Amino acid sequence: MTTCETLTHGTCVFLSQRHRFGTDAMLLADFCRPRRAEFAADLCGGCGIVALRWHDEGHRGTCVSVELNGEAHGLLAAALAAQPEAAGHIKAVHADLRTYAPAQAGQFHLAACNPPYFTGGHASPDPARAAARHEETCAFEDAAACAARLLRDGGRFAVCHRPQQLARVLAALTAARLEPKRLQFVKQAPDAAPWLFLCEAQKNRRPGLTVLPDLLPGQYPHY
């Protein structure tokens, strides 16, 4: 069954039992908002929450939301069909980001990715859930390479991931010529270990990383 979650300014996100969104996607969307007319890409887009959150906050530039799973892609397509203003600048793309290279490659100002977090361990028996959470069809290195293809020089790539993967993520970013520039840890309490980090890199820029103050629950975005 499909349901609708309404964001702050009235944009509707279509959800199913298997394809929903969490706090991490909302944090990512708010960490790296595009300017109003910028070209933006939402990689591993799922139901399209990042692209729709950007729209809800005023983005009106070209935006692609790239998702391999057909059901998740269909949720965004249905949401866009029901909301003409969003459909006017957001495109739901059913594609594999490992090979995705649109005509506008090299022109995007911003890309974001909420990737699968797990490289091993127990996977859900549901193939859709397993693919969303485990690196079965997309490793982080694949997402970084896709972002590098899409972005212009100086373009920004933002990602959320688990702290256990921080060293690997930073290494993959620099290997793709995406220089980490902003890093922020997300905590459930001031004295707790972080459960998530947010990182923004820029294409073909010099080293220089700023570590931001920790993000705590009272600062999480609302919708």
Side-chain angles (χ1 to χ4, degrees):
M1 184 178 72
T2 299
T3 59
C4 171
E5 195 78 59
T6 303
L7 302 180
T8 304
H9 302 293
T11 302
C12 184
V13 185
F14 283 17
L15 310 173
S16 70
Q17 189 63 35
R18 294 199 296 178
H19 298 284
R20 311 185 70 79
F21 65 87
T23 303
D24 49 358
M26 293 292 289
L27 290 166
L28 176 65
D30 279 23
F31 180 73
C32 62
R33 291 183 191 175
R35 298 178 181 88
R36 183 175 178 85
E38 285 186 332
F39 277 37
D42 172 19
L43 308 179
C44 298
C47 64
I49 175 56
V50 171
L52 291 170
R53 174 69 170 183
W54 287 340
H55 169 81
D56 196 63
E57 294 296 328
H59 180 236
R60 294 298 182 270
T62 296
C63 183
V64 295
S65 183
V66 184
E67 173 56 47
L68 181 60
N69 180 273
E71 181 183 338
H73 162 78
L75 289 171
L76 177 57
L80 295 177
Q83 299 172 104
E85 185 179 17
H89 72 104
I90 299 173
K91 181 180 180 181
V93 178
H94 188 202
D96 189 330
L97 61 74
R98 291 173 292 186
T99 56
Y100 180 62
Q104 305 100 323
Q107 300 179 34
F108 284 78
H109 299 87
L110 172 66
C113 185
N114 179 9
Y117 291 152
F118 304 110
T119 57
H122 174 73
S124 170
D126 182 333
R129 287 182 181 272
R133 298 176 182 180
H134 288 73
E135 292 188 342
E136 295 185 351
T137 58
C138 171
F140 180 73
E141 289 79 2
D142 299 321
C146 181
R149 288 195 302 274
L150 298 183
L151 292 171
R152 59 174 59 194
D153 277 359
R156 297 163 285 148
F157 177 46
V159 60
C160 59
H161 218 303
R162 295 296 175 88
Q164 298 90 329
Q165 295 287 338
L166 177 60
R168 176 192 172 201
V169 166
L170 295 180
L173 290 172
T174 55
R177 296 179 292 110
L178 300 167
E179 188 62 39
K181 287 293 186 180
R182 291 195 300 142
L183 177 66
Q184 186 169 39
F185 293 98
V186 184
K187 295 183 174 183
Q188 295 287 9
D191 58 350
W195 65 272
L196 188 79
F197 71 83
L198 301 159
C199 184
E200 181 187 279
Q202 289 184 296
K203 182 176 176 180
N204 291 333
R205 288 296 183 257
R206 294 179 179 178
L209 177 64
T210 299
V211 180
L212 303 173
D214 295 339
L215 195 63
L216 300 173
Q219 302 166 314
Y220 291 6
H222 300 285
Y223 60 93

